[in-house]
Amino acid sequence: SRRETDNFNPHLMYPKVICVPDALRGFSPTLRNRVNEAGDTSGDSRGQLQRKPQSGQRGRRRMKANDRERHRMHNLNSALDALRSILPALPEDAKLTKIETLRFARNYIWVDVAVCAGVALGMTELVPQLHNHPSEV
DNA sequence: TAGGCCATCTGGTCCT
DNA sequence: AGGACCAGATGGCCTA
């Protein structure tokens, strides 16, 4: 990907600074459409507003399931935000993408934590090996 | 304009 | 039966 090749090398210990100037990040296109177009649902063929209104018990179940799924994904994103917040040396405006966050955390755990642990335990002979990353995920 | 990223919807599957 | 989880599909925004 462009972002990965230009800004983030998963083999680097830390990613380069990545600017994500998106004031609307966190708001889905669907929600933005709802706000901006006030009922004009063109262009969102799968959006809730343009879907056939589901009625009956099946429709109610589907809407509840959608709600739960939205909530579940928001929780997942909150967890990712929490992870981002504890990763070291990240400038304010350098919000990592999801995949970058996971890779960065993995590298951080694998190298920094493992090396520190190795040194602390006096296992210095293992430290050079820790710099050889296991296969990429 | 293509490609990356993202939020959301949806149906399937598994679990309680 | 209902909830959690997952993956595919879709469409909008952003950047090079």
Side-chain angles (χ1 to χ4, degrees):
Chain A
S1 78
R2 188 179 64 241
R3 290 173 64 88
E4 285 176 2
T5 55
D6 292 352
N7 298 318
F8 184 79
N9 181 334
H11 296 283
L12 293 174
M13 292 308 99
Y14 302 105
K16 297 178 183 176
V17 173
I18 300 166
C19 297
V20 186
D22 183 358
L24 291 176
R25 185 180 288 281
F27 295 92
S28 71
T30 303
L31 286 177
R32 285 195 288 264
N33 283 344
R34 286 177 196 162
V35 171
N36 295 333
E37 297 173 16
D40 179 3
T41 59
S42 61
D44 184 13
S45 62
R46 292 178 63 88
Q48 199 177 40
L49 290 176
Q50 199 179 47
R51 286 165 207 274
K52 261 194 255 178
Q54 296 180 328
S55 57
Q57 190 182 10
R58 178 183 167 82
R60 282 190 293 275
R61 271 207 304 269
R62 191 60 265 180
M63 287 179 68
K64 279 182 70 177
N66 289 348
D67 245 20
R68 287 193 304 273
E69 178 65 9
R70 224 178 297 127
H71 189 249
R72 193 181 70 85
M73 294 309 293
H74 288 171
N75 283 340
L76 185 61
N77 288 337
S78 295
L80 272 169
D81 282 339
L83 181 58
R84 282 187 190 101
S85 73
I86 62 171
L87 291 176
L90 286 181
E92 284 286 326
D93 60 348
K95 182 173 182 180
L96 300 177
T97 65
K98 293 178 175 181
I99 188 68
E100 287 167 354
T101 300
L102 293 174
R103 285 176 175 158
F104 187 13
R106 173 179 172 277
N107 288 342
Y108 177 57
I109 292 168
W110 181 252
V111 177
D112 291 27
V113 176
V115 167
C116 287
V119 170
L121 294 173
M123 302 162 68
T124 50
E125 74 281 0
L126 293 180
V127 170
Q129 298 175 34
L130 291 171
H131 286 282
N132 298 322
H133 284 211
S135 58
E136 269 306 317
V137 287

